Amino acid sequence: MRFLRVIIMASGLSRRFGTNKLFAPVNGQPMYCSVLNNVSTFFKNHPDAGIGIVVSAYEEILREADQLGLTAIDNANPEEGQANSIKIGLAWPLKDDFVKHEAAVFLTADQPWLRPETLSDFMLAARSTPAGFLCASAKEVSGSPVSFDQKYYPELFDLTGDGGGKAVMKRHLEDVDYFDINSNELRDVDVPQDIV
């Protein structure tokens, strides 16, 4: 079983949204709260499964992460893009020296419709899949979350700018397994009209 390094990326600049989308209300709470709560719940139910890490440039999100028992890491340079958040989360030192094999699960904080049960099932599958990658998908459309076996960490550290981990996954399609989820849960928010 892999130890999971679950990295929630919450540093986006929301250029297309117009304001900081992570604070937009969805279901009566700021959008970012849903994913943070779901990851926190997973680790309360599976405390030995790994660590939840929140990488954010926003103090309110970091405070909330800390209150939920997640590791909160400040991203001082969000303008450097998604690759910077990926590297920050991967570089965080783990306290447990006994960890022999791990995988990183990347989530974005703008997926408020991802259900806690779905996320839990995904993470348990990411711990045990023989594939190097596990990618959420709906009707042949892939999305987030995605898990990366530790053997792909060097390639993730080579990413720059807004280059996400999908570029690494696409180079190794023979090592990808897909996890089917409902298309509504796969949705993320880019513009205000996405919140319906």
Side-chain angles (χ1 to χ4, degrees), residues 104-108 111 114-115 118-119 121-123 125-126 129 133-148 166 169 176-187:
V105 174
F106 291 99
L107 291 153
T108 58
Q111 273 186 278
L114 183 61
R115 293 173 38 243
T118 303
L119 181 59
D121 290 346
F122 177 90
M123 296 219 266
T129 181
F133 304 90
L134 184 65
C135 181
S137 67
K139 300 178 185 172
E140 299 183 17
V141 175
S142 62
S144 172
V146 181
S147 74
F148 294 75
K166 292 264 174 82
M169 189 179 77
V176 179
D177 196 5
Y178 293 94
F179 185 89
D180 290 328
I181 70 171
N182 180 289
S183 58
N184 188 54
E185 294 183 75
L186 198 63
R187 289 190 311 142

Side-chain angles (χ1 to χ4, degrees), residues 87-99:
K87 293 174 192 178
I88 290 170
L90 287 177
W92 184 258
L94 299 178
K95 294 178 184 173
D96 298 321
D97 294 335
F98 63 87
V99 174

Side-chain angles (χ1 to χ4, degrees), residues 153-166:
Y153 288 7
E155 292 182 57
L156 290 169
F157 275 111
D158 285 341
L159 294 171
T160 58
D162 269 329
K166 292 264 174 82

Side-chain angles (χ1 to χ4, degrees), residues 29-157:
Q29 63 183 357
M31 183 187 313
Y32 74 85
C33 289
S34 179
V35 171
L36 268 65
N37 285 327
N38 292 348
V39 171
S40 175
T41 297
F42 174 79
F43 284 116
K44 285 176 183 160
N45 293 331
H46 305 277
D48 297 328
I51 182 174
I53 297 171
V54 178
V55 179
S56 183
Y58 307 108
E59 189 175 319
E60 178 181 326
I61 295 176
L62 294 172
R63 261 195 323 271
E64 182 70 17
D66 188 56
Q67 289 173 1
L68 290 170
L70 303 170
T71 299
I73 307 175
D74 180 38
N75 181 353
N77 300 298
E79 69 283 352
E80 291 182 13
Q82 192 177 67
N84 190 49
S85 291
I86 289 170
K87 293 174 192 178
I88 290 170
L90 287 177
W92 184 258
L94 299 178
K95 294 178 184 173
D96 298 321
D97 294 335
F98 63 87
V99 174
K100 299 290 186 228
H101 199 93
E102 68 174 79
V105 174
F106 291 99
L107 291 153
T108 58
D110 64 350
Q111 273 186 278
W113 300 284
L114 183 61
R115 293 173 38 243
E117 302 83 5
T118 303
L119 181 59
S120 179
D121 290 346
F122 177 90
M123 296 219 266
L124 293 173
R127 292 194 75 197
S128 60
T129 181
F133 304 90
L134 184 65
C135 181
S137 67
K139 300 178 185 172
E140 299 183 17
V141 175
S142 62
S144 172
V146 181
S147 74
F148 294 75
D149 185 85
Q150 68 184 25
K151 68 183 175 184
Y152 294 111
Y153 288 7
E155 292 182 57
L156 290 169
F157 275 111

